[in-house]
Structures are given as C-alpha cells and as structure tokens.
Amino acid sequence: MKLKYSAVVVGGSLGGVMAAYALSSQGIETALIEETSWLGGQLTNQGVPSDEHKYIEFTGATKTYRNFRNKIRDYYRNHPDIIDELKDKEIFNPGNGWVSRNSSDPRVCLQILNGMLKPFSKSGILDIFLNTMVIGAEKTADAIDFVVVKNDDGVHFIEAEYFLDATDTGSLLPITKTDYVTGSESFFETNEPHAPEIGDPEDMQPITWTAAVGFNPNNTKIIEKPKMYDKFKNYLMPFGESKLSWCTPGLAQGSKQEFSMFGINEPENKIGLFTYRQVIEKDYFKTSVPFSVMLINWAQNDYIFGNIYDNPNSEYHKYAARELTLSLIYWLQTEARRDDGEFGYPEICLVPEVLGTNDGLAMAPYIRESRRIKALYTIKEQDISRKYAKKPPHFKDSVGIGHYHIDLHMTTKTKTHFYDQAYPFQIPLGALIPVKTKNLVAACKNIGTTHITNGCYRLHPVEWNIGESAGHLVAFSIKNKVTPKEIYENDKLLKKYQEKLKNEGILLEWPHSVMEEYLWKY
C-alpha cells in the first residue's frame, strides 16, 4: 500500500506526540508512526515519571505542557475515591514520588495524551499507526522520498514532504543515511572541559528497562530466579560494591551513595528508594487502591554492559537489560537488607497492568542518550555550564527553554559518570536541523547536543518543547514554501516563525524573575 502525507512523524515519544499535535493543529496532513501499542515514550511505554526543574509550577514549560500537567491533577481531584484533602488542592504530587513534582500512573498520562490527539485523528488530519516499524527508506540526493513501514497489515510505502525523527533512539537517522554521532566526543572535537582526550562512539549513557513494582503486604509470590542473576550479583562496580546492592554511584567520580528501601530505622538516615519514582500512593485513595506502586528506574538497573546502536549484539543487550531489572527485583525479594535489619522483601511484586504488559516490564527500554544529528548548531558544555560559561546562554534562534543539571549516568565503556550545574537554557533552532538531509527535522532527544549536554536536554519538558517546536517548524516551512535551513539563515523568516511559537504559548526565553538569580554577580 502506498500512502502520502505532508508530514510523517516517526516515533510516538513525547516529542513525537507533540510534533504530531503541532502539525495537526496547523492543518497539516500528518502520519504518526509508533513501534509499540502506547504513545508517550518516557511517560508511558518506557515507564519514567516526569523529571522537572524547580520552577515548573509557574514557568519554564510550553502552554500545552502546563495544560497537560493540570489535566493530570484534575484527573486525581475528580477521582471518585480520592481522599477529601486532595479534592480542592491546587498543587500536589499525585503519585507522591520524590524525584518528580507531578508523578502519576502511566495509564493516566496515556489517556490524556491520546485525548489531545483524538480530535485530529477523528477529523482525518492525523493518522496514527501503532505497532508499526520503519524498515527502510528511499532518498534522492539529500532529500527523503518515502519510508517503508511494516505492521500486521503488511508493508506500506509512505511519502511525505517532511519527515520528523521523534524516536528516542534516533532510529530514522541510519535508515535515511542522515549524518549522526553516538557516544562521547573528544576534547579535540568539542573543546568541552569534561570531554575525554579520545572520544568513543560506544561510550554512552546506559539504557534502563523499567518495571512497575508494588509493595503488597499480602504478596507471597517470589519471581523465578533470573538466568543472569548470578552474573549481576557477582559483578563489582568501580566503587567496590555489587551491582545488586543498596549502593549507587555518588555525585563525584568513584564515589558511592547508600540507600535503603524506605529510609526507616536507619541510623545514617539513608534515603528510601521505593518512593523515588512512586506513581501510585495508596494513602491518597479511600478504599480502591490496596498498595502503592513505583516504577523501578534506579541506578542499580542501569544497564552499563553494552550499547544497542549499530551493534550486532543489540538484541542481546536489550534482553540482558530486562534480565538486570528482573535480577534487581529478585534480589529485593530475597536478599536485600530490610530497614528492620532482616533480609528480603517478599512484599515486592510486579504489577503488569500499570505498564500494559503481561510481565510488568515496560514495553520499551528507557533511552537516555540517542543517536544525535550532525546539526547546524551543536550545543556544548561551555554554552550552558555554570562553571564554564560566564553568563547564561542566549541563542537568537531560540525555539524554547529548559532547565536541568548536566546528569550523565555511568557509561557503558569507561564507566564514567558526571554531574554538574547548568544555567536555565534555551533550545536553539540550529540544533534541530541536520547539516545535509533537507527534509528531516529532529524532534526528540536526537538534536544537536554532545554526549555531555545531552545530559540536561533529555528530560520530559525539554523533549516536549523540542517536539512541539519541530512540528511548528515543519508546518511553517510547508505553508511558507521555505526550508528549515532557510528559516535558520534568514532573520526575517526566523522572527516570523518565533512569533508563531510565542503565539502558541512557547516561551523563547526565561523570565527575568528566574534569571536574576543567575545574573546578579555580573
């Protein structure tokens, strides 16, 4: 079957959902292609509740993201079994997880995201293809002609004027022969203070295969011992502890930090990890929720043993990442030191319905570090680091804003981890546009960052903003018969496009009330 659209969004990530939303809202006939049965990426099929900056309750996000957050809280306020204290509360954390300001059940996020797209799919302006994989593409010179997709209905050829790569892995880049990088760049390439002397395309942040885990006092079922359990249990981390332990890498290279399950009866006041990414709080419901549930995305199940890009063993590494998560759960059930001094938490159980799978593991692995386009502009550490940039970054081609520290989890080869403070930053348009491929736009965490700056441009509100701005970029290009590169190079076109973004509720710079905190010393 041969299909034709004005734009095709490949990947149903948060960036992909918002790219499709923006395109459809501008009347652009769009196809959205997703490999799994759930849209929403990090928040849904990867099982990672939102990581957000400290200003999120009043600024630092697009209008649509703010509306999305409000709808999450509205859902809980209006839940028939919610406790009375939350019914009229303006700001609260529905899942009571401490890493997020608005953690929530992935099924709630999915419902809201689907609701955002439903009017467009109902009207026929947007076609959504779930459980569909891109298996090929045709390219003439520097332009993509069509992609080839496969699903239960067969093989389809989909033509479009523009293609947006909104996959978490940047999977469209190799298929379309779009230039990209992976792993760490060398200091020679980027001049970044923390870049290694020799770069390594295989040294990247780990994937994590999350799972929905509950604490059920009545549970007695211990999962089958995973086949790779002994391998992970016997693996010593660089700081001298087992991969399966309460210890994780500390903020400084080579250091460690010790946690516990709940932080109860701990003389050292160790922080409890169960509530770290908790998404269901039983005490927030009167009778309907029997136990609390969290999404297990801890440093202990970061898969540091190999890469899934351009690697003949990629399928094995995905399997092993699942095994690592199951091994962590088995260790918690049988061997983990309890807060009361005993060993093993048989109360721990998998909760499959939360992630829509039979086994309780997420539909897809959480991807921290994507393939990244060789872009018209690449964001570097010295652009955004509070240690090395003299002042907060300013990009005249800003298409949005974000804020998060530079957070690199332990890498897959050199086992390097890195944490540093960054300024509230902008998203430059040049980072969304490839150097060569004319009709492809990056719409997820595959934009022009480095291995280092990816560490703060990969979070939920930023990815959402990237996808939304990318969608409007393509819509603007189609309507004005110009290319993204022409918009980037022409100040008049750029300003017109930026005005469109502002009218859509996308902030292009941080308000002075935030930035004065960082500017006072200058």
Side-chain angles (χ1 to χ4, degrees):
M1 183 184 297
K2 193 172 185 179
L3 304 170
K4 189 169 183 178
Y5 297 88
S6 294
V8 172
V9 180
V10 179
S13 62
L14 284 179
V17 169
M18 290 316 299
Y21 177 92
L23 285 158
S24 302
S25 71
Q26 299 306 304
I28 304 298
E29 290 187 331
T30 302
L32 174 58
I33 301 167
E34 165 56 30
E35 289 189 13
T36 74
S37 59
W38 280 12
L39 297 174
Q42 295 186 62
L43 280 177
T44 59
N45 59 31
Q46 294 178 26
V48 183
S50 57
D51 278 324
E52 298 171 330
H53 54 77
K54 65 181 180 179
Y55 309 107
I56 194 65
E57 297 297 349
F58 65 93
T59 191
T62 71
K63 180 180 178 180
T64 54
Y65 187 77
R66 193 159 303 287
N67 289 341
F68 170 75
R69 295 180 86 252
N70 290 338
K71 286 179 180 178
I72 288 175
R73 287 175 174 153
D74 285 343
Y75 171 88
Y76 287 92
R77 287 190 196 98
N78 296 320
H79 193 286
D81 195 45
I82 204 74
I83 60 174
D84 294 339
E85 293 92 318
L86 295 185
K87 289 181 178 179
D88 299 313
K89 197 167 185 178
E90 181 181 359
I91 295 176
F92 64 96
N93 191 338
N96 203 24
W98 56 263
V99 76
S100 173
R101 290 169 170 80
N102 199 11
S103 63
S104 56
D105 189 323
R107 294 168 294 183
V108 175
C109 297
L110 177 66
Q111 177 182 316
I112 295 170
L113 292 172
N114 284 340
M116 291 174 63
L117 296 181
K118 186 175 180 179
F120 303 120
S121 57
K122 190 175 181 180
S123 71
I125 199 73
L126 173 66
D127 286 341
I128 300 173
F129 297 84
L130 299 176
N131 300 305
T132 301
M133 179 178 291
V134 176
I135 60 172
E138 191 68 35
K139 194 175 182 183
T140 302
D142 289 327
I144 304 165
D145 299 318
F146 60 83
V147 294
V148 185
V149 305
K150 184 178 181 180
N151 56 27
D152 289 343
D153 296 327
V155 175
H156 313 280
F157 296 79
I158 304 182
E159 296 180 4
E161 192 172 346
Y162 281 92
F163 297 84
L164 296 89
D165 187 342
T167 62
D168 286 90
T169 59
S171 64
L172 194 57
L173 304 181
I175 292 174
T176 59
K177 297 184 173 70
T178 298
D179 292 340
Y180 65 91
V181 297
T182 63
S184 62
E185 297 91 344
S186 69
F187 178 79
F188 175 78
E189 293 174 283
T190 66
N191 288 315
E192 292 175 298
H194 283 92
E197 183 177 348
I198 300 174
D200 189 335
E202 295 185 4
D203 193 31
M204 62 187 70
Q205 291 196 73
I207 67 170
T208 303
W209 212 298
T210 71
V213 175
F215 190 85
N216 179 4
N218 298 319
N219 183 65
T220 57
K221 181 180 179 181
I222 303 299
I223 67 170
E224 183 180 349
K225 182 179 178 180
K227 294 180 176 63
M228 298 181 70
Y229 180 77
D230 291 332
K231 171 185 171 74
F232 295 127
K233 182 68 165 44
N234 294 328
Y235 181 86
L236 285 183
M237 297 292 283
F239 46 81
E241 301 285 349
S242 167
K243 179 64 174 164
L244 303 179
S245 77
W246 284 119
C247 293
T248 70
L251 296 182
Q253 182 71 28
S255 66
K256 67 180 179 181
Q257 184 172 0
E258 188 172 358
F259 293 88
S260 68
M261 182 65 86
F262 295 105
I264 301 171
N265 299 324
E266 290 286 353
E268 298 88 356
N269 293 317
K270 298 183 184 74
I271 298 173
L273 277 179
F274 186 88
T275 53
Y276 177 52
R277 294 188 184 275
Q278 186 174 285
V279 292
I280 298 176
E281 170 56 73
K282 70 176 182 62
D283 291 339
Y284 284 174
F285 298 85
K286 295 175 181 176
T287 59
S288 62
V289 176
F291 52 83
S292 297
V293 177
M294 59 98 164
L295 299 175
I296 191 163
N297 175 11
W298 299 355
Q300 289 93 327
N301 62 324
D302 283 356
Y303 184 75
I304 60 173
F305 304 99
N307 306 312
I308 63 171
Y309 303 143
D310 313 323
N311 186 326
N313 292 319
S314 62
E315 290 305 312
Y316 164 75
H317 289 308
K318 291 177 186 177
Y319 164 78
R322 294 171 61 90
E323 280 285 293
L324 174 57
T325 294
L326 291 172
S327 294
L328 177 57
I329 293 168
Y330 183 80
W331 175 80
L332 288 172
Q333 289 182 320
T334 61
E335 294 192 55
R337 183 176 57 80
R338 298 176 62 99
D339 289 0
D340 60 13
E342 299 297 321
F343 291 90
Y345 283 97
E347 301 96 332
I348 288 291
C349 61
L350 284 159
V351 192
E353 60 270 21
V354 171
L355 289 171
T357 60
N358 292 328
D359 58 11
L361 273 71
M363 295 179 181
Y366 170 46
I367 305 296
R368 290 182 178 83
E369 187 170 329
S370 177
R371 297 178 179 93
R372 307 181 297 278
I373 61 168
K374 290 187 177 180
L376 296 181
Y377 186 86
T378 300
I379 306 154
K380 299 181 178 65
E381 180 185 8
Q382 55 269 33
D383 289 332
I384 61 171
S385 169
R386 290 178 62 184
K387 188 179 294 183
Y388 300 107
K390 293 183 178 179
K391 58 182 179 180
H394 176 75
F395 297 109
K396 76 169 187 176
D397 61 332
S398 173
V399 297
I401 61 174
H403 184 40
Y404 204 74
H405 41 262
I406 302 174
D407 180 18
L408 269 66
H409 287 227
M410 184 174 286
T411 59
T412 51
K413 287 193 72 175
T414 64
K415 305 300 185 273
T416 301
H417 55 96
F418 173 54
Y419 181 97
D420 205 359
Q421 295 296 323
Y423 288 112
F425 52 76
Q426 294 170 307
I427 305 164
L429 172 61
L432 278 60
I433 305 172
V435 171
K436 288 185 180 178
T437 307
K438 296 176 181 177
N439 62 340
L440 183 144
V441 172
C444 194
K445 55 177 71 74
N446 52 354
I447 65 170
T449 58
T450 65
H451 169 68
I452 291 175
T453 57
N454 162 265
C456 60
Y457 275 79
R458 63 180 171 83
L459 280 303
H460 303 66
V462 183
E463 183 189 324
W464 181 292
N465 193 153
I466 289 168
E468 189 172 357
S469 294
H472 283 300
L473 173 66
V474 170
F476 186 90
S477 296
I478 291 172
K479 289 186 175 184
N480 291 277
K481 295 181 171 54
V482 294
T483 67
K485 187 176 181 181
E486 287 173 330
I487 297 169
Y488 173 73
E489 293 176 339
N490 185 301
D491 286 347
K492 186 175 180 180
L493 286 172
L494 176 62
K495 288 181 180 178
K496 187 177 178 182
Y497 163 59
Q498 288 175 318
E499 283 300 317
K500 173 62 179 174
L501 295 181
K502 288 190 283 188
N503 289 338
E504 295 295 330
I506 297 174
L507 299 173
L508 303 188
E509 58 185 30
W510 282 89
H512 183 71
S513 60
V514 169
M515 296 313 297
E516 63 183 358
E517 177 182 339
Y518 302 89
L519 292 169
W520 66 269
K521 58 184 176 181
Y522 302 105

